[in-house]
Every structure is written in structure tokens, then in C-alpha cells.
Amino acid sequence: MRAIPLLLAIWFITIPACVKAQEEHPKKLIEYGSSDVPYPDFIEKNIRSMEKRPFDGIIFRLRGLNHAFELRRWNESELKPQMDALAAIKWRKFTDNFICLQSTDRWGMNWFDDVGWRTITANLRLVARAARIGHCVGICFDPEPYGNNPWTYSEEYRNRSFSDVEAQVRKRGMEFINALQKELPELRLLTFFQISWLKNIAKEPDQELRLKRLINDDYALLPAFLNGMLDALGPGARIIDGNEFAYYYTDSKAFSDARQFIKEDALVFIDPINREKYSSQVQVGTAIYMDHSLNLRRPEGDYLSYFLTPRERLRWLEHNVYYALKSTDEYAWCYGERLDWWRNVLPAGAQAAIRSARKKIASGRPLGFNIENIAVARQFYQYPVPFNSRLNLEKLSACSEYAPKIREKMLELRPVEEKIKALKKARELKSYVGLINKPPADKEKAWEAEKIKDLRAKYLLRGPETPEEMRLNNLKQKDPEMYALALERYELGKELKALREKLRDCAKINRCKIGIIGRLVQLVRTSLLHREGQGSESSTAHQLLPENLVANRAFLV
């Protein structure tokens, strides 16, 4: 009996720690866009109209100073006009705002370069000071490399063991977070992803095989960087794993599974000495990709939302906003590329869908609908085959002829895309290496030129501002080599789009036929069960009804 009071005492002592680890926060939605990302002066002038949008904050950039691993020392006097604008912003509704830093490495950053890292940490502290002056809650860090990848165990480091490189990257992670915390002791570091990106590797049960897979992964060094940040993370700071993979979720289970992974399974990559800190100070975040659900991505026809009706697309968006907020600890972030919240370039109904999801979360109401038709469209996208193979209704469909044609066309297109990608990468690398090798005086001029001349945009060959034919004509004069590849891709893309449109039109007709049959099946099942007075499927029902139809309710429209 004496053991009982002792157990109760231990239980009461441990309650505060558990409560802290599971502390609940208001759910907040943060906006970020590649085409509408604002700068401080724009925010200062337009903040009142911006705050009419359905968000709790934004991710924005400093003009010219947004790459975390840049080796050029940033000049505080040059930054002063932007700091003045930040100080003048009168935030009201937007309570949680972040300055964005990318991990793009255009400057040949080396994890073992102490001189370079002194420059990097000085720049980081300057950005953190700007965030403090602008009353931001923290920094947004995008680990995705848009150019050379700093996270790979590349040939540059192969003369050292992987564990040695990990140790050095972990040291830099400490320096990274310390530089930010000096200005922001209660820092919120919203990362677009951390261990959530390594889900498939983390789930490998064999430790030796897991390490081997990690070493060969594009993000091999990211866990070491996170462990370094955890080593130095202050008690008031938080890191948010933004789970960018949530862009593509089509059901509520994917959101709950991701939460469970970040909270529990991800611990295989966390040093045991940091696991308690990870559990209490790393939050689950979630992403929403508006272009993906609203059929704004290009090339048109390559993505799931192409096969949905406008109403289904809006429901998919509302569904993902709802479950993103429901599954996150505090922050969900909403990303868009081909829309602009601040200049009113928005798909009809998108804002209403987001507001609806937010109201339901705030009031504790259920979503109120499912998105079963997403499963129907997924059949077209994944295979692409117009019907689930279990339905055995080929006689109803004239669509099956298109599937092999589409597959064949996609196989033709793939090597062309790879050639274009390789050519872009080679030219960007050559340009950046050229900048690094310039004399100091010329290098400063080159940095200024680089702000204006964006090589990636030059060769991206897409965008809403110009027709495809005009871009090709411009390219023909400037770059014959790239033009030949782009023209081949354009012609193949037109053929592929035409095939997909035929498939979609055919699918609409046949989905209607399947829907009628499905409803008849439901009526017959209901009648049989009612007549027999049973609450479950009877043996008679199984004998009389096509089992494959009953099992595929996702096809009821």
C-alpha cells in the first residue's frame, strides 16, 4: 500500500512536463506564394487591404537578402530602408508573420569553411534583427535547394566519412539557430519540411539499410542539421516541420498519419539526447497547395485536379484546409504559384472555401462532406485508366483505348524533359561558378546583375504572362539549342493534352453510367436488407448483387 502514494506523487510531478509537450495553440493559417510574395514597402502601404484575406499571417521576403547560405556579406546600411518600412507596419489581424530564407546554394557554400560560415551567421543575425524590428514571430526556412544542393553527401565530401560530415553539419545547425535566437529568443522557425520529407527512409526497420539509404538521399545531411539546431535550441523557441508532402493529400487519414509520423516515427533520426526537446519544441505543421487542388498547375492535364469538376476542386481545397488545421499543432501554411491574393488574381470560390473550412474548425463542427469523387479522378491520373480494375465494366467504356496512347506519349516526353532539365542545370552551374571566380571588384557588380537576371526564369519556358508560341519564337532567336528541345516538348505536350481531353470527355459519360448502376445497386441492397430485417449484408444480397460494384462506393456520383 505504501507504493500507491509514491506512484501518485510521481504522476503529479510528471504532469507539468506532459502538459508542456502537448500544449495546445490556436490554429493559424499562414499565406505564402511564389508570385505574390510581398516586400516590406508593399506591406506597409497595403496592410489594411491585405488583412481582409482569410489568414493569420504571411511569409514575406527582404528584397535581395533571402538566401541563408549566401557568402556575400550583407550591408546593414543597405537594409535600413527595408527595416524602416518593417518598423512602420501596423499589424492587426496578421499576428504571426515570418521572413523567408531559402537554402539555395549559388555561392559554393562548404560546411567546413569557417570564414564563409562567419559571413553566413552574420547575415542570419541581420535578418533576425529585421524580423524583430518588424514584430515578426520568426523566420521561415525553405530547405529545398533551387540550384546546387547543400544537403547531399556529395563528391566534394567523399574524402571524409559520412559521420564526420554529419558532425560538421550538426555544428553548423547550432550556429544557424544561435544566430537567429540572439535577436529572437522566442523564435518560431517555420520550415517547409524536416524529417517529414524522409518518411520512406525513416520507416525502414533495418538500421544499417536505413543509414545506407540516407547516405544516398538528396537530403542526407538534413537530420544532422536539425539535431544541431536542437542542441542549441533555447527554451522559448520552437521549430515547425511544415510537412510539404501534404500538398498532395486526398483524404483525412493522410493528415493524421503524417502527424503520427512527425511525432513518433521521425525520432529514429533524432539523437536520444535531443528526443525530449524534439517532443516538446518541434511542432507539427501542414501545407496546402492551392494550385494542385484548383487545376492551376502546368502542364495542364498532368495533375489530378484536371479530372475534377470546378465544384469538386473547391471541395478538395476546403477539405485540405480543414484537415490541415485539424491535424497541425499551431501552423498550417497555404501556398500558391499562379494566383495573387494581394492583386485579386484568384479562382472563383477559393476564398469562400478557405473561410468555410476555418469556420468549421473554429466552431468544432465536422467538415460535412466527403470527397469520394477524388478517388474516381485518381484512377484517370494514376494509371491513367478510366475505371477501377475491380469493376469489370469494360463493355460500358469506350475509353480504354486512350490509356496506352497516353502512356506511350508520356514515355516520349520524359527524355525531352530530362534533356531540358540537364541543360538548365549545366548552364546555371557554369554561371554561378563564373561568379565565384571573378575578382572581388567585378564580383560585386556581378551580384547586382544576378539580382536582375534570373537564369531559372529565363529557361523555365512557362508562365501565364506570354503565349507558348511567343516564348518559343523569342527563344528561337536567343538560344537555338534550347529552342529545339522546347519545340519538341511543345508538340508532344499538345498531343498529350488532346488525348487527355478525349479521355476526360469519355470518362464523364461513363462515370454517369456507373453512377446510375451504383444507385440501383444501393436500392436493391437496401430493399433486401429491409425485407430480411438484418443490419448487415445478407448471404442473399451477396448472391444477387455484383460484389465488385458494392465494394466500390467511390464511383457513386
Side-chain angles (χ1 to χ4, degrees):
M1 293 295 290
R2 292 180 180 177
I4 293 177
L6 179 61
L7 289 172
L8 287 173
I10 294 172
W11 185 70
F12 278 110
I13 289 170
T14 56
I15 279 180
C18 296
V19 169
K20 184 178 180 182
Q22 299 175 10
E23 183 182 356
E24 290 191 5
H25 301 271
K27 304 301 179 77
K28 298 165 186 172
L29 188 62
I30 309 300
E31 192 277 340
Y32 178 60
S34 62
S35 60
D36 67 353
V37 58
Y39 295 110
D41 54 345
F42 180 91
I43 300 170
E44 181 193 358
K45 294 174 184 175
N46 298 280
I47 184 60
R48 295 285 72 84
S49 60
M50 293 173 72
E51 290 189 325
K52 294 177 181 178
R53 298 305 189 184
F55 303 109
D56 300 294
I58 58 173
I59 297 167
F60 65 95
R61 294 178 190 160
L62 298 176
R63 187 174 278 104
L65 307 174
N66 47 52
H67 295 114
F69 299 144
E70 185 170 343
L71 298 178
R72 175 179 63 104
R73 187 68 174 260
W74 296 342
N75 190 319
E76 187 169 358
S77 62
E78 291 180 2
L79 187 58
K80 188 178 184 306
Q82 296 191 73
M83 285 192 172
D84 291 343
L86 283 168
I89 298 172
K90 306 298 182 184
W91 307 106
R92 293 177 188 169
K93 179 172 171 284
F94 286 179
T95 56
D96 292 59
N97 304 288
F98 301 82
I99 294 179
C100 185
L101 286 173
Q102 295 177 327
S103 65
T104 304
D105 177 21
R106 297 179 175 179
W107 301 271
M109 183 276 289
N110 186 296
W111 297 109
F112 292 86
D113 177 10
D114 291 336
V115 175
W117 266 88
R118 281 196 289 273
T119 297
I120 289 170
T121 53
N123 290 345
L124 291 171
R125 186 166 180 179
L126 191 58
V127 171
R129 189 176 308 145
R132 177 176 56 78
I133 289 171
H135 306 287
C136 299
V137 297
I139 301 296
C140 173
F141 181 57
D142 183 2
E144 183 176 353
Y146 304 96
N148 295 339
N149 186 352
W151 308 113
T152 60
Y153 181 44
S154 62
E155 292 298 325
E156 182 179 8
Y157 303 113
R158 292 285 172 157
N159 61 331
R160 306 173 189 265
S161 70
F162 183 66
S163 59
D164 285 347
V165 179
E166 277 190 311
Q168 184 67 15
V169 173
R170 184 166 177 169
K171 175 186 173 184
R172 299 309 186 194
M174 293 176 62
E175 295 173 4
F176 180 93
I177 204 74
N178 273 330
L180 299 178
Q181 288 179 140
K182 284 180 180 177
E183 298 289 340
L184 297 168
E186 295 190 351
L187 168 75
R188 296 298 180 266
L189 183 65
L190 172 57
T191 66
F192 286 161
F193 56 86
Q194 281 294 326
I195 306 299
S196 60
W197 197 264
L198 299 169
K199 182 176 182 179
N200 291 334
I201 300 177
K203 287 186 173 293
E204 171 56 57
D206 186 298
Q207 185 174 356
E208 187 175 336
L209 183 56
R210 184 167 64 242
L211 177 60
K212 184 177 179 180
R213 290 179 60 186
L214 178 65
I215 288 173
N216 293 300
D217 192 81
D218 287 343
Y219 291 94
L221 300 173
L222 192 59
F225 194 76
L226 174 59
N227 273 290
M229 291 195 292
L230 289 171
D231 289 336
L233 194 66
R238 298 291 182 272
I239 297 172
I240 300 98
D241 186 327
N243 186 25
E244 189 173 310
F245 260 131
Y247 278 179
Y248 313 108
Y249 291 170
T250 57
D251 58 70
S252 58
K253 186 176 184 299
F255 287 94
S256 57
D257 286 350
R259 178 179 176 82
Q260 184 269 335
F261 173 81
I262 294 171
K263 288 291 189 184
E264 300 175 19
D265 300 341
L267 289 171
V268 298
F269 284 131
I270 304 302
D271 189 317
I273 67 171
N274 282 329
R275 287 181 180 174
E276 184 178 347
K277 188 181 286 189
Y278 178 93
S279 297
S280 61
Q281 291 182 252
V282 174
Q283 296 180 332
V284 174
T286 322
I288 303 111
Y289 187 10
M290 293 185 64
D291 300 61
H292 190 65
S293 57
L294 297 178
N295 193 34
L296 300 178
R297 297 186 71 183
R298 297 295 180 267
E300 189 179 52
D302 277 8
Y303 303 101
L304 176 58
S305 54
Y306 177 76
F307 299 99
L308 302 180
T309 66
R311 182 171 179 267
E312 288 170 336
R313 292 167 188 160
L314 291 171
R315 284 205 158 194
W316 187 12
L317 174 62
E318 183 177 347
H319 171 279
N320 280 18
V321 173
Y322 180 90
Y323 284 107
L325 291 169
K326 189 177 179 67
S327 62
T328 189
D329 283 330
E330 184 173 10
Y331 295 108
W333 54 285
C334 190
Y335 178 61
E337 292 177 339
R338 292 175 175 268
L339 45 82
D340 189 331
W341 285 96
W342 321 129
R343 296 169 183 85
N344 206 34
V345 181
L346 295 171
Q351 184 167 216
I354 293 175
R355 291 190 187 280
S356 175
R358 299 209 63 183
K359 286 179 182 177
K360 291 172 184 177
I361 287 291
S363 61
R365 288 184 290 147
L367 179 61
F369 62 84
N370 58 46
I371 52 172
E372 288 181 344
N373 281 335
I374 297 292
V376 180
R378 188 185 283 178
Q379 307 304 319
F380 301 108
Y381 173 63
Q382 286 183 335
Y383 300 115
V385 176
F387 304 118
N388 189 320
S389 58
R390 291 159 58 193
L391 281 171
N392 298 322
L393 290 173
E394 292 88 347
K395 291 182 181 179
L396 283 177
S397 173
C399 306
S400 57
E401 63 176 289
Y402 296 115
K405 294 179 181 178
I406 289 177
R407 287 194 194 96
E408 182 181 348
K409 196 59 61 179
M410 290 177 74
L411 287 173
E412 286 183 51
L413 194 56
R414 189 173 300 162
V416 180
E417 292 281 6
E418 290 300 320
K419 289 178 184 177
I420 290 176
K421 184 178 178 180
L423 187 56
K424 290 180 193 176
K425 186 174 181 180
R427 288 181 173 176
E428 288 177 6
L429 180 61
K430 182 178 178 181
S431 172
Y432 302 143
V433 170
L435 285 177
I436 295 298
N437 292 334
K438 284 180 179 291
D442 293 339
K443 190 183 294 186
E444 288 302 316
K445 296 178 182 177
W447 289 127
E448 295 302 317
E450 195 66 16
K451 293 177 185 178
I452 303 169
K453 173 187 165 189
D454 188 336
L455 290 169
R456 290 181 59 80
K458 180 179 178 182
Y459 294 118
L460 201 54
L461 307 178
R462 67 183 188 190
E465 71 287 345
T466 323
E468 185 73 21
E469 291 83 357
M470 188 179 296
R471 288 196 293 276
L472 286 169
N473 287 334
N474 291 336
L475 194 64
K476 186 175 182 180
Q477 304 298 323
K478 298 177 181 178
D479 192 339
E481 183 183 5
M482 183 67 82
Y483 168 75
L485 288 171
L487 181 62
E488 184 177 0
R489 179 174 70 175
Y490 175 64
E491 296 297 339
L492 288 170
K494 282 202 305 184
E495 296 172 21
L496 181 60
K497 181 179 178 181
L499 285 170
R500 288 183 184 277
E501 287 176 348
K502 290 179 181 179
L503 173 62
R504 183 183 61 179
D505 294 341
C506 182
K508 287 180 181 178
I509 298 170
N510 286 277
R511 277 172 61 188
C512 180
K513 291 178 182 178
I514 291 176
I516 294 170
I517 291 175
R519 288 195 177 94
L520 288 172
V521 167
Q522 280 191 320
L523 287 171
V524 175
R525 278 187 70 245
T526 303
S527 176
L528 285 170
L529 296 176
H530 178 73
R531 186 174 63 192
E532 296 183 10
Q534 297 183 7
S536 60
E537 294 179 357
S538 65
S539 58
T540 309
H542 276 293
Q543 291 168 8
L544 295 179
L545 299 177
E547 183 178 341
N548 54 359
L549 274 177
V550 176
N552 284 274
R553 304 221 183 148
F555 283 79
L556 304 182
V557 294

